[in-house]
Amino acid sequence: MKKDIVLMDGAIGTGLWEIATAHGVDNIEPWRYNIEAPELVTELHEKYIEAGSKIILTNTFSANSLSLTARKKIQSAPEAVKRGVEIARKAAEGTDVKVALSIGSLPGLLEPYGNLTVAKANEVLEEQMGTGVEAGADLFFIETFFDIEAIKIAVKIAKQYDLPVFASMTFEQKGRTLMGNSVADIVSGLEPMGVDAIGINCSLGPDNALPILKEYSEHTDLPLIFKPNAGTPITNPDGTIVSTYDVDTFVRDLLPAAEYATYIGGCCGSNAEYIRKFKALLDAQQ
């Protein structure tokens, strides 16, 4: 087991919906909580910090002008990003927790597979990332990309700033991304660009994602990221919320990743209890 593991947080989107449900607040697009119910975002960040997360992600995954336009929203993407960073920074105040600017994949595919031009992708990502840096993010977490060419655009923009750059792709069960990119493709494309960490998040549970993490370890010496899914939360008739992977199953299946990954957390369906129990399991192994 690695001795330098840094705990990240769990899900932001599903985590916010869980908290909103508990407070009797409607489930909306996650980024909207930054403007309409910032106290819920604060509560989520604080729960993760209390559970042991040393890196928390801003609630800005899809807070870009292209995603807002696609959803016919008139709210300002830069305002959502600015507030998202400010909320996270306030939650982390007085701690050693780092605030990672969450940059998610853009809607649509790059030409020639879709209608998204490189110029438009640059424009949208530069706005989102520049706003986040100005608001005080400590590092970039470029996540859930499935196209190596698209994530290279984001990494190139991020490298204009003097901040660490984490790059994470999402994979299908067959061990490749939706666009057919292999681990070897991703490492050969991103390592020369100077990313500080590389890995996998979303889509798969920890047991199914582990072989991909192992493959990363065979292709690079960069610090590895592992943030697998716990599944889509389901609300029971009694109001309790459960995920495909319950807490105990998730942390048990997550533990082998400690042999390979430096940065470990959860993605969709996980919450602060997943991070807390995984930390306890790690501590017991030390």
Side-chain angles (χ1 to χ4, degrees):
M1 180 181 297
K2 294 173 69 66
K3 300 296 185 183
D4 57 348
I5 293 171
V6 178
L7 282 180
M8 300 188 74
D9 56 10
I12 297 297
T14 59
L16 280 170
W17 290 333
E18 184 177 346
I19 288 175
T21 298
H23 285 280
V25 177
D26 290 340
N27 288 354
I28 55 178
E29 291 99 330
W31 58 266
R32 287 175 55 189
Y33 291 110
N34 293 346
I35 298 170
E36 300 173 32
E39 69 279 2
L40 301 185
V41 187
T42 298
E43 181 178 337
L44 180 65
H45 290 321
E46 289 178 344
K47 283 179 179 292
Y48 282 131
I49 292 170
E50 188 275 332
S53 299
K54 292 301 182 181
I55 296 177
I56 57 172
L57 272 58
T58 58
N59 178 34
T60 56
F61 177 82
S62 61
N64 61 75
S65 59
L66 202 59
S67 293
L68 269 61
T69 300
R71 292 170 173 78
K72 297 182 171 59
K73 301 298 180 183
I74 60 173
Q75 288 94 338
S76 164
E79 181 65 15
V81 173
K82 179 175 181 291
R83 293 197 186 186
V85 175
E86 289 173 347
I87 292 166
R89 289 216 64 82
K90 182 66 175 177
E93 191 174 17
T95 74
D96 60 352
V97 172
K98 300 297 183 183
V99 172
L101 180 65
S102 172
I103 302 293
S105 55
L106 297 177
L109 300 175
L110 287 172
E111 293 180 336
Y113 304 103
N115 298 320
L116 180 60
T117 65
V118 170
K120 185 63 177 178
N122 267 293
E123 174 191 329
V124 171
L125 289 169
E126 282 178 350
E127 178 183 61
Q128 184 184 20
M129 298 167 86
T131 300
V133 172
E134 186 175 351
D138 295 313
L139 62 104
F140 291 101
F141 188 66
I142 305 170
E143 58 169 321
T144 328
F145 275 70
F146 52 85
D147 180 0
I148 183 64
E149 297 306 322
I151 200 170
K152 284 165 70 174
I153 293 172
V155 169
K156 184 177 180 180
I157 295 169
K159 291 300 293 182
Q160 297 175 23
Y161 302 94
D162 188 24
L163 294 178
V165 180
F166 290 13
S168 181
M169 303 285 284
T170 186
F171 289 77
E172 296 187 306
Q173 186 71 54
K174 61 186 178 182
R176 288 178 177 261
T177 71
L178 181 65
M179 295 300 289
N181 306 131
S182 67
V183 168
D185 295 334
I186 293 162
V187 171
S188 64
L190 296 183
E191 193 170 45
M193 297 184 73
V195 296
D196 296 276
I198 196 169
I200 174 175
N201 78 287
C202 207
S203 296
L204 302 174
D207 51 344
N208 294 318
L210 186 64
I212 298 169
L213 179 66
K214 289 181 180 178
E215 190 175 352
Y216 265 114
S217 72
E218 295 164 359
H219 285 84
T220 183
D221 291 325
L222 282 172
L224 299 181
I225 304 159
F226 196 60
K227 231 172 172 280
N229 263 4
T232 303
I234 300 170
T235 303
N236 291 322
D238 64 359
T240 59
I241 298 174
V242 297
S243 293
T244 306
Y245 290 77
D246 62 69
V247 176
D248 292 331
T249 301
F250 185 87
V251 300
R252 181 198 68 208
D253 291 347
L254 192 60
L255 185 60
E259 183 178 344
Y260 307 99
T262 297
Y263 302 99
I264 302 179
C267 208
C268 303
S270 61
N271 58 30
E273 188 61 18
Y274 286 68
I275 303 303
R276 181 178 294 106
K277 284 207 169 184
F278 184 64
K279 182 179 186 301
L281 189 59
L282 278 180
D283 290 346
Q285 301 291 318
Q286 299 294 330

